[in-house]
Amino acid sequence: MNAQLASTAKAMVAGDKGLLAMDESHPTCGKRFAKLGISQTVEMRQAYREMIVTTPGLGECISGAILFDETIRQQTQDGRPFIAVLKAAGIIPGIKVDAGAKELAGHPGEKITEGLDGLRERLAEYVQLGARFAKWRGVITIGDGLPSRGCLQGNAHALARYAALCQEAGLVPIVEPEVLMDGAHTMEQCRAVTEKTLRTVFDQLAAQRVLLEGMILKPNMVLAGLACPEQESVDEVAAATVATLMRTVPAAVPGVAFLSGGQSSELASARLSAMNAHFKQRVPWALAFSFARAIQQPALEIWRGDAANVPAAQQALLHRAQCNRAARRGEYSDEMEEETNR
Ligand code: 13P
């Protein structure tokens, strides 16, 4: 079992590929659809996700796709299960298994991710459906006096309990403690909170006997808040992020796959590329991506719920996947964007 977990985890971050997160819950997917006037129905979600999984060439850049409970059970209009379409493209199917971040009792402004009850049984079903890895996201908010000890410890504990259950079931856990970009905090504040978060998470992972070789870490990059007037350069963000990971992430972890968290698609690619260009030879883990918005957003804006837009949307999706593949080699550049805008 351990060898199989380690080999799946390695495959998820192998070469220059990365992960595509397409596991938005109904409320999150609904919000993104609503902004573009797309109706929030099961049919539209199916059509959108069919557009994604049938994108020609996607498997050249994407090693694994994170699905949502509804999506893992869906099929294309011509009757092929999404799981089978992904596998045929060489993409490993995965599944989001947390039940969302809820208000944390006694901690105004902070959240705790739920979903541990009945998780063992749900994981067994997902294995039957063909999933090989799973995802659980905890959210940490930076604010006045936040994050609290209770929030950090509660979320780290839940992540570790989830990860241990995944490995018991033969699924590689993606462990995602996301320090949010919302707010006016500085990069230094994000650095300090991210460091503390990752220390707490790895302490709990050890306590729950999680096999580090058989997991993937999905952290935020170290960045100033979206509303902070001072924004560091791409190289400064890359250096701060890698320095924070070096202090906190054990070398046995095979891969770090970043979330994009509300950065623009271009900045997410540029920052990942800078990390690989400057630090790839010096870090023990793969520096990969597990983006949702930074891969999907341009395609969603082109698709807008209209079947006639599918080829153009797929082209935009593939373009972002190719940019991030280049970023894994440290070779992404602005010219890659200009080529498509011409
Ligand atoms: P973003 O890349 O849009 O932050 O999403 C990644 C993800 O899967 C969040 O859980």
Side-chain angles (χ1 to χ4, degrees), residues 21 23 135 137 176 178 218 259-262 290-294:
D23 59 335
K135 183 192 103 172
R137 169 176 174 259
E176 180 180 8
E178 174 174 5
K218 177 164 173 168
L259 58 95
S260 57
S290 176
F291 297 156
R293 282 163 287 181

Side-chain angles (χ1 to χ4, degrees), residues 4-76:
Q4 186 207 318
L5 287 168
S7 115
T8 303
K10 253 194 208 158
M12 289 164 66
V13 291
D16 52 11
K17 298 185 192 179
L19 304 169
L20 167 62
M22 48 179 293
D23 59 335
E24 297 82 5
S25 62
H26 294 336
T28 303
C29 186
K31 264 187 244 158
R32 294 188 189 152
F33 277 15
K35 266 194 195 154
L36 297 167
I38 304 166
S39 58
Q40 297 148 59
T41 59
V42 60
E43 290 78 19
M44 283 313 231
R45 289 193 296 268
Q46 185 283 336
Y48 178 59
R49 269 109 182 209
E50 175 166 344
M51 182 278 288
I52 294 178
V53 301
T54 59
T55 295
L58 195 63
E60 286 158 27
C61 308
I62 299 297
S63 54
I66 315 173
L67 306 174
F68 184 59
D69 182 76
E70 176 181 87
T71 322
I72 200 171
R73 303 165 197 279
Q74 282 175 327
Q75 356 183 303
T76 57

Side-chain angles (χ1 to χ4, degrees), residues 79-290:
R80 289 171 297 149
F82 284 174
I83 287 254
V85 175
L86 289 170
K87 280 191 192 160
I91 299 173
I92 307 171
I95 180 79
K96 185 237 291 290
V97 301
D98 67 64
K102 310 282 161 63
E103 301 298 317
L104 177 60
H107 293 73
E110 296 196 296
K111 298 209 157 147
I112 183 77
T113 301
E114 295 186 346
L116 288 172
D117 287 354
L119 184 57
R120 177 176 274 131
E121 293 71 26
R122 288 197 291 126
L123 294 179
E125 190 197 0
Y126 290 135
V127 169
Q128 287 305 315
L129 288 169
R132 305 233 333 257
F133 67 90
K135 183 192 103 172
W136 178 293
R137 169 176 174 259
V139 293
I140 309 296
T141 305
I142 300 181
D144 200 10
L146 305 185
S148 67
R149 188 160 62 97
C151 175
L152 285 179
Q153 291 189 348
N155 277 293
H157 178 79
L159 276 165
R161 291 271 317 281
Y162 137 84
L165 281 163
C166 283
Q167 292 188 337
E168 179 190 86
L171 294 168
V172 169
I174 295 182
V175 173
E176 180 180 8
E178 174 174 5
V179 177
L180 295 175
M181 285 177 76
D182 304 322
H185 55 268
T186 61
M187 184 178 81
E188 170 52 27
Q189 282 174 293
C190 177
R191 188 203 60 71
V193 171
T194 303
E195 183 173 328
K196 205 166 171 180
T197 300
L198 293 175
R199 275 194 208 296
T200 312
V201 166
F202 279 100
D203 181 49
Q204 288 291 325
L205 290 170
Q208 296 300 328
R209 303 181 176 165
V210 172
L211 178 76
L212 297 177
E213 290 83 350
M215 64 163 274
I216 299 293
L217 178 71
K218 177 164 173 168
N220 51 283
M221 295 185 194
V222 172
L223 303 167
L226 280 170
C228 179
E230 195 180 326
Q231 293 288 327
E232 279 71 11
S233 69
V234 166
D235 282 349
E236 285 167 329
V237 166
T241 303
V242 170
T244 305
L245 296 173
M246 287 292 273
R247 285 182 173 178
T248 50
V249 183
V253 173
V256 170
F258 293 99
L259 58 95
S260 57
Q263 306 173 62
S264 71
S265 301
E266 292 81 4
L267 271 177
S269 300
R271 288 161 171 165
L272 178 63
S273 192
M275 285 186 228
N276 278 303
H278 303 315
F279 303 104
K280 193 182 180 121
Q281 308 307 331
R282 280 191 261 163
V283 297
W285 355 263
L287 291 166
F289 58 90
S290 176

